[in-house]
Amino acid sequence: MALHPSYAPNFYSIEDILATQERIPCKFLGNVPDMGHLNPSTLEKDLAAGTVLELPVWLVQELSLGRHSIVATELPKIYKESYREILKADACAVDLHKFNLYFYELGKHIKHFDRKGDVHDILLHTFKTRFRQIMDLADHSVSDPTVQERLETLEARLFSDAYDARTKLNAWLVESGAILEAANMVVNHKKRKRMNLDIIM
Amino acid sequence: MNPDEAEFLGEKQFISIIPTFNSGVVHLISGDVGPFRASLPTRVPLWMAINLKQQQKCKIQHPEWMNVDQLERIKEDEKKDKFFTKMPSEQYMIEAKLLLGCASDDVPKADDIRTIIKDIWDIRMAKLRSSVNNVLKSADSYAEFKNLTVMEINSIRPILPHALDQIYRMKINKHQGAQSTTLSTPFRTSTSFSNLS
């Protein structure tokens, strides 16, 4: 029954730590002395201005802060135009797991670098669109392990919570001797659900 | 919350029984029950009724709403209405399950009632799911759910607050991001509801 505090910035949140570990591309605006070892492709002692490196989010946040930002950030490709178009087309068909394990968490950090707010919009859009799918998956308890492999971390957690609740509820419904159940005729009559939905929608 | 816990809470509901034994008043923490006089109806908590019934010490008088005509009416209303209709009892599902489970001989047409209640439950669950989805899609600042019963609320409890919480987080960051370059924004310290279930 313990509450688990899971959201950023939480010192103890493993997910937050892992999400901020993701790397994003950024460009150095000025020379940085003695940091040449960050760039494996050169042997120079100093890091030259204009170098493009992939740095973890936690570092970038500090570097790009304040008046004298040292780096200029770019969006990781999964948040760029072409990928956003894919998500807009049909977010449900996308394997978010392959995009990034921490698509939403990372997005929340990334969008501070995105002035136009596109990232913000696509995060919301994706989540809302895919929510129905998660709910459906959880309710029609398919014991198919591949289902979860297509979900992002946050979605996977939602899914398993919903799935647990669903299983418990189903167990409760059938546990007593007398099961409340629809008549056989009704169960076999496949159109029934669709008809009800029409009324509701 | 577990469904079993919801059931436990639902068992406090009073119900009328006709005892077949004589006994004085029983003092319980929740209040006094009885006295019991054979064949005189008295009101007891549901859990006690079930227990006495299992010992064959009483007949349970089924709640008024538990008859085919009324339930059919409710079912039709539920089908027609876009919103949730008011149910005769906050715990209709729990009462129905317990009573039909152990005292089906005291309820006339128990089988029919069982089917109708399951139909009503299914319709309401389908409604619930689509409205939850609509709420999230539109994600307005608030939504109103009326006339939901305990079990139904419980069934969406783990997923809905959590999902709304996440949307809230995604939204709130926009303003902070747009305002300034500062990243060390004071996020709302929030906790997940997921493990409350």
Side-chain angles (χ1 to χ4, degrees), chain A residues 105-132:
Chain A
E105 285 296 328
L106 185 59
K108 276 171 206 152
H109 291 293
I110 295 291
K111 70 184 177 194
H112 294 287
F113 309 124
D114 173 44
R115 298 271 161 229
K116 278 178 267 164
D118 290 336
V119 173
H120 169 88
D121 295 341
I122 202 66
L123 283 184
L124 268 180
H125 172 81
T126 316
F127 186 75
K128 284 180 191 170
T129 326
R130 288 171 66 93
F131 179 75
R132 174 79 194 218

Side-chain angles (χ1 to χ4, degrees), chain A residues 94-112:
Chain A
V94 173
D95 187 345
L96 258 198
H97 192 93
K98 274 201 188 127
F99 268 42
N100 190 305
L101 258 180
Y102 301 95
F103 182 80
Y104 298 112
E105 285 296 328
L106 185 59
K108 276 171 206 152
H109 291 293
I110 295 291
K111 70 184 177 194
H112 294 287

